[in-house]
Amino acid sequence: MLSDAAVGDRGYFYPESSSDDELLPRALPIDDYGKTDPPDASKILLCPNEYLRHVRLEASKLPETLVSSIHTLDKDEVGVPEAVSSRSSFRDFSEAWKHAQAYKFQKSQKEFSYLVKQFLPSKSFPSDADSLISSLRSDDCIHWLVNHPPMLSYFVELSQANVSLLLETLLSACPRVGWNSALQPWVYGGLLGLEPPLLPGTCHTVRRIGKKFCKYLRESEQQKGDDSRDRRFCFIIISVVAFAFGQRDLLEDI
């Protein structure tokens, strides 16, 4: 007869006692190591014990807490340099710096989207998108953009198609030799105004922007003069297009 303890509520049989050793998975024993007895490098791939000793040794060299590079993006070492040589190459900037530009852009993009799509409309903030659209369809649109810095009111109730139209208009004027740096805020602001999912035509426009800035960098390498400000802006835009908009293959063209 089975005792009450051995039979569950639904009639299932449970052993009255079980060994914890039977429930635990078996693991390979690992010999302790010391400074005088390190793992044999020649046997790491041949002997399981030596391999596990090697893993334990390497793990002991690392801190208990590892910090990802994304948590250091706001530190000075990955910030935008105060001064960039006019001959600086895109390869002179670390991967952390490039990712930092995309990270800061995406953070600003979320705040930008909240302001123009939720906060400002809820406050009955007047939209001035019609003024921007009208200027883009005029013959002197570049002159208008140069003399009217971007404001949030231009992007309230502005459709993605019209943001793409803004970027396409800027493509005809920048970047090129002698282009007006007053257009830089419009380029960055236009990219901020793009909220995913992007239309195929918009993706194509963003990619063209990245390719044109890459071309500008290649051509400016052969020219004289101090263009450090324009080149630094190119570095930022290329990083944003490459990492925030998924066009990393453009980096191969620089």
Side-chain angles (χ1 to χ4, degrees):
M1 296 292 293
L2 297 175
S3 64
D4 294 339
V7 181
D9 295 337
R10 298 186 179 182
Y12 297 138
F13 169 73
Y14 298 96
E16 295 185 7
S17 62
S18 61
S19 172
D20 291 340
D21 294 338
E22 296 177 359
L23 301 178
L24 295 175
R26 295 183 179 275
L28 290 174
I30 307 175
D31 297 337
D32 293 332
Y33 64 89
K35 295 182 179 179
T36 59
D37 184 28
D40 189 343
S42 63
K43 298 181 180 179
I44 289 177
L45 299 179
L46 301 176
C47 177
N49 185 67
E50 291 299 317
Y51 174 76
L52 293 175
R53 292 179 68 209
H54 172 73
V55 171
R56 179 179 289 183
L57 176 62
E58 292 299 316
S60 67
K61 299 177 182 178
L62 300 174
E64 294 184 1
T65 303
L66 296 178
V67 180
S68 170
S69 60
I70 196 172
H71 294 97
T72 63
L73 294 180
D74 292 330
K75 293 187 177 181
D76 295 338
E77 60 265 26
V78 294
V80 179
E82 291 295 331
V84 178
S85 169
S86 61
R87 298 301 100 196
S88 295
S89 169
F90 190 69
R91 296 185 180 88
D92 295 336
F93 293 83
S94 66
E95 287 297 312
W97 184 89
K98 298 170 187 176
H99 281 281
Q101 308 316 308
Y103 173 78
K104 293 175 181 178
F105 171 84
Q106 291 173 317
K107 184 178 179 180
S108 299
Q109 191 179 40
K110 293 179 180 179
E111 297 172 352
F112 185 90
S113 177
Y114 170 74
L115 286 173
V116 301
K117 293 186 179 298
Q118 298 183 40
F119 181 76
L120 295 180
S122 67
K123 300 295 183 181
S124 299
F125 188 82
S127 172
D128 205 11
D130 290 340
S131 298
L132 175 60
I133 296 172
S134 298
S135 68
L136 295 177
R137 295 172 178 171
S138 64
D139 295 334
D140 61 342
C141 58
I142 297 300
H143 182 266
W144 188 93
L145 293 173
V146 168
N147 290 279
H148 293 78
M151 298 187 298
L152 288 173
S153 60
Y154 293 134
F155 292 90
V156 174
E157 300 179 358
L158 187 66
S159 66
Q160 183 182 131
N162 285 321
V163 176
S164 182
L165 176 61
L166 167 64
L167 294 173
E168 290 172 4
T169 302
L170 293 169
L171 267 172
S172 63
C174 63
R176 65 184 182 189
V177 178
W179 75 304
N180 197 318
S181 59
L183 296 174
Q184 292 179 0
W186 278 109
V187 176
Y188 199 88
L191 293 174
L192 282 177
L194 295 177
E195 185 176 4
L198 301 184
L199 299 172
T202 304
C203 291
H204 179 64
T205 299
V206 172
R207 182 172 178 83
R208 287 175 59 204
I209 290 175
K211 293 184 69 173
K212 198 159 189 180
F213 274 94
C214 289
K215 181 180 179 181
Y216 174 83
L217 283 181
R218 291 195 302 269
E219 294 177 349
S220 63
E221 289 286 348
Q222 304 174 359
Q223 298 170 359
K224 298 180 180 180
D226 185 8
D227 58 352
S228 58
R229 180 179 177 181
D230 290 347
R231 289 175 60 79
R232 180 172 62 184
F233 182 71
C234 286
F235 296 151
I236 294 174
I237 293 299
I238 294 173
S239 298
V240 167
V241 172
F243 296 108
F245 289 96
Q247 305 294 323
R248 300 190 183 191
D249 62 298
L250 294 179
L251 301 180
E252 301 174 0
D253 296 335
I254 304 177

